[in-house]
Amino acid sequence: ADSPLASDVEFKTFEFLAPVFSRLMDAESAHNLGVSLFANGLYPIERRERDNDRNNADASGEYAEMREMLRVTNVFNDGLMTFPNPIGLAAGFDKDAKTIQGMREIGFGFVEIGSVTPQPQDGNPKPRVFRLRELDAVINRYGFNSEGIERAKERLKKEKNRVAATVVDNKTEEKEESTTTTTTNVIAPIGVNLGKNKTTPESEAAKSYALGATELGPFADYLVINVSSPNTPGLRDLQKGSSLVKILRDVVNARDRLLVKEEKKKSLPVLVKIAPDVDEKGLKEIAKAVKKAKIDGVIISNTTIERNDRVQQHENGKEIGGLSGKPVFEKSTEVLRRFYELTDGSIPLVGCGGVFTGEDALKKIKAGASLVQLYTSFAYAGPALIPKVKRELYEALKREGFKNVNEAVGYDVKQRKKRNRFLFF
C-alpha cells in the first residue's frame, strides 16, 4: 500500500470523485466536506516523489529530476527555508489549521492557513459562496469566518510536534539501516494568514495583527498580513499609506521580539497580501511602505471586486464579494509584473490568482513570482490537480530551457528590460 503505484490509484480515484461532490453539493457544503475529509485522513498520498523510498523504482529517475528542478531555495534570502516545490495552497481553504498534514502529504510545496482572527467570529450570513462553473470562477463573501487564534494555535502546535517526531523516527530508521543514504525529503513550510475581527476599529488594527503574530508566530514558517479581503468593511483602506506602514511595522516588531525570545527559531518572514484592484499610485505607495517596514515578501493577489462582461452576464455574476479563478488571472499577473518592476525584483513575490495549470504557474513565475498559490482550481478539481500542475510546470520549464524555478523568476520582465535598453541605444 505504501508504494508509488498506490499513489496513482488514489489520485485517480479522487480525480473521479471531486467533480461528483462539486456537482451534488452547494459550494460551501462541498468546501466543508473537503476540509472534513482531509482532517480525518481521507486523501491520496504522494509517494512518487520520495527520494529515499526503497519502494520507489524511480527514486533516481524522472521524479528525481523533477524534484530537483522544482525545489525552491533561499526565497527570503535567509538561506533557511526550502520549499519542495513552488506550488502552494492559498489561504481560505483551511481557515482553522485542520488539514495541514493532508495538504503536505498530497504534495503541496507550502500550505497557508487562515485568515485567522484573534477572536472567533461567524463571518457573513449564508449563502456566501457562489460558483461560476462555466468561467472556472467563484465569488465568495465569507467575511473571515474563523474559530480564532486559540483553536488554530492548538492545531499548529500538534502538527509541529508530529513533524518533529517524524524527523526523529526517520533519523533512527536510517541509523538502524546503516546505509549511506540520508533523508533529503523537504517538509512543506506552513504560512499563517492573519486577519482582524470585523468589530475591531481601524485604530486598533495594527495591535490586532501584532497579537496574531505573537501568538501564532512560534508555530509558523512565515506570516501573512491580510489587508486585502473585500469582505470585511474598511479592510482594504488599511492598504493605504500611513495605516499600512503602522500595521507592517507593528507586526515586524512583534516578529523581532518573538525571534529574540524563541532562540531556536532563526527566521520568520512577514509577508503582506494585496488586492489586484490597486492603481499605479496605490501600488507605488504599497511598494514604498513594504520597503520602509522591511517586509520580507508580498502575495499578489487576493480576490477582485471588478467584474468583466462575461462575469456580469453569469447568473451568479452580480453577487457581492471577491471574485477568484480564471477571470482574475491576467489582472493579478499584470499587477505582479508591475510590482516586480517597481521594486527591481528586490522583494520576493508570491503569485496568486487564477492558476489552473503548470503553464499558468510558469507565467506567474516569469512575471516575478518566486512561489505560486492556488485555491479555486483546487476547489473544482480536487487533490489530483496538484501532481498534474507540478508535472506540467516541470515539463514547461524543460521546454523553455530553464534548469530550475529560480532561473525563471522575473524572466519576462528582465527580457523586456533588455529589449528596451537595446532599442534605446
Side-chain angles (χ1 to χ4, degrees):
D2 202 28
S3 72
L5 183 62
S7 290
D8 292 339
V9 173
E10 288 169 12
F11 276 104
K12 273 286 170 207
T13 304
F14 275 83
E15 189 178 359
F16 168 74
L17 289 175
V20 175
F21 288 136
S22 175
R23 295 271 174 196
L24 290 177
M25 308 170 90
D26 68 83
E28 186 163 352
S29 299
H31 179 183
N32 291 339
L33 175 66
V35 170
S36 183
L37 290 173
F38 272 91
N40 289 291
L42 296 166
Y43 51 81
I45 294 176
E46 181 56 271
R47 303 169 183 87
R48 297 165 293 196
E49 294 171 14
R50 294 175 181 174
D51 52 356
N52 66 327
D53 195 331
R54 293 182 303 278
N55 296 317
N56 195 349
D58 187 73
S60 59
E62 195 182 20
Y63 273 108
E65 184 188 53
M66 181 167 104
R67 194 174 55 244
E68 287 309 310
M69 278 183 82
L70 295 187
R71 189 168 290 182
V72 182
T73 55
N74 208 27
V75 175
F76 301 108
N77 304 317
D78 55 11
L80 296 170
M81 209 189 309
T82 298
F83 295 78
N85 66 75
I87 308 299
L89 176 68
F93 179 82
D94 185 1
K95 292 171 180 289
D96 299 297
K98 294 176 179 177
T99 73
I100 300 171
Q101 181 179 349
M103 293 302 165
R104 282 172 154 165
E105 291 188 334
I106 67 169
F108 271 113
F110 60 111
V111 180
E112 193 172 307
I113 67 117
S115 295
V116 183
T117 57
Q119 300 303 320
Q121 64 177 28
D122 293 334
N124 291 323
K126 298 175 185 178
R128 52 192 180 177
V129 195
F130 308 90
R131 294 191 189 101
L132 291 76
R133 196 186 298 277
E134 300 78 4
L135 304 180
D136 287 319
V138 167
I139 291 173
N140 93 79
R141 50 172 180 264
Y142 270 121
F144 283 173
N145 50 317
S146 170
E147 291 179 11
I149 279 176
E150 288 307 316
R151 295 301 297 276
K153 193 201 287 188
E154 283 168 29
R155 296 184 186 116
L156 286 162
K157 200 173 189 176
K158 196 174 167 189
E159 175 65 5
K160 191 178 180 183
N161 293 339
R162 181 193 72 81
V163 169
T166 306
V167 170
V168 170
D169 287 349
N170 284 344
K171 283 180 180 170
T172 309
E173 212 173 279
E174 280 163 20
K175 276 182 187 169
E176 284 170 3
E177 285 178 13
S178 60
T179 63
T180 52
T181 58
T182 56
T183 304
T184 52
N185 288 322
V186 179
I187 295 165
I190 298 302
V192 174
N193 186 300
L194 305 169
K196 78 168 189 72
N197 286 103
K198 191 175 182 177
T199 53
T200 304
E202 192 178 318
S203 58
E204 296 291 310
K207 204 185 284 181
S208 175
Y209 285 105
L211 174 70
T214 303
E215 293 295 318
L216 300 178
F219 313 101
D221 294 304
Y222 70 89
L223 296 171
V224 182
I225 303 163
N226 185 356
V227 286
S228 54
S229 167
N231 301 317
T232 296
L235 191 76
R236 284 191 170 189
D237 295 339
L238 301 177
Q239 286 181 127
K240 293 169 186 165
S242 56
S243 293
L244 183 59
V245 173
K246 175 151 177 55
I247 290 167
L248 301 186
R249 276 193 171 151
D250 280 17
V251 173
V252 167
N253 289 339
R255 184 273 313 273
D256 292 346
R257 286 193 298 273
L258 182 70
L259 290 178
V260 170
K261 192 176 153 196
E262 303 254 335
E263 286 177 16
K264 280 184 185 171
K265 205 166 185 66
K266 302 296 180 200
S267 159
L268 182 61
V270 173
L271 287 73
V272 62
K273 186 169 186 174
I274 68 171
D277 312 314
V278 184
D279 60 15
E280 182 75 4
K281 184 173 174 273
L283 214 51
K284 283 179 177 170
E285 230 175 57
I286 291 168
K288 198 173 162 187
V290 161
K291 284 179 177 174
K292 206 170 179 180
K294 295 187 170 62
I295 286 291
D296 301 291
V298 182
I299 300 178
I300 305 172
S301 70
N302 214 315
T303 57
T304 180
I305 52 171
E306 288 187 7
R307 308 283 189 261
N308 65 27
D309 291 344
R310 289 193 69 205
V311 171
Q312 284 185 34
Q313 285 159 17
H314 192 280
E315 61 176 332
N316 289 330
K318 292 198 168 50
E319 292 291 346
I320 292 165
L323 172 73
S324 62
K326 277 188 182 169
V328 82
F329 179 80
E330 296 297 339
K331 186 179 188 181
S332 60
T333 307
E334 180 53 31
V335 175
L336 170 76
R337 183 192 63 75
R338 189 68 194 112
F339 200 89
Y340 185 84
E341 284 175 341
L342 280 172
T343 54
D344 287 321
S346 61
I347 295 164
L349 306 178
V350 181
C352 183
V355 174
F356 279 69
T357 66
E359 286 78 11
D360 292 341
L362 185 54
K363 279 179 188 168
K364 296 273 189 198
I365 292 164
K366 286 163 69 179
S370 296
L371 300 165
V372 175
Q373 290 180 322
L374 49 81
Y375 172 9
T376 301
S377 53
F378 180 65
Y380 277 119
L385 179 76
I386 308 316
K388 178 178 167 286
V389 168
K390 287 191 294 186
R391 163 69 58 178
E392 288 168 352
L393 175 58
Y394 160 64
E395 287 169 356
L397 284 165
K398 277 183 81 168
R399 197 165 54 242
E400 297 198 23
F402 296 111
K403 292 189 185 73
N404 52 45
V405 172
N406 288 2
E407 215 177 72
V409 175
Y411 180 80
D412 284 351
V413 178
K414 291 168 192 167
Q415 289 302 106
R416 186 184 293 193
K417 224 174 182 180
K418 273 184 193 171
R419 279 197 303 272
N420 290 348
R421 204 175 295 145
F422 179 73
L423 288 170
F424 182 75
F425 286 111

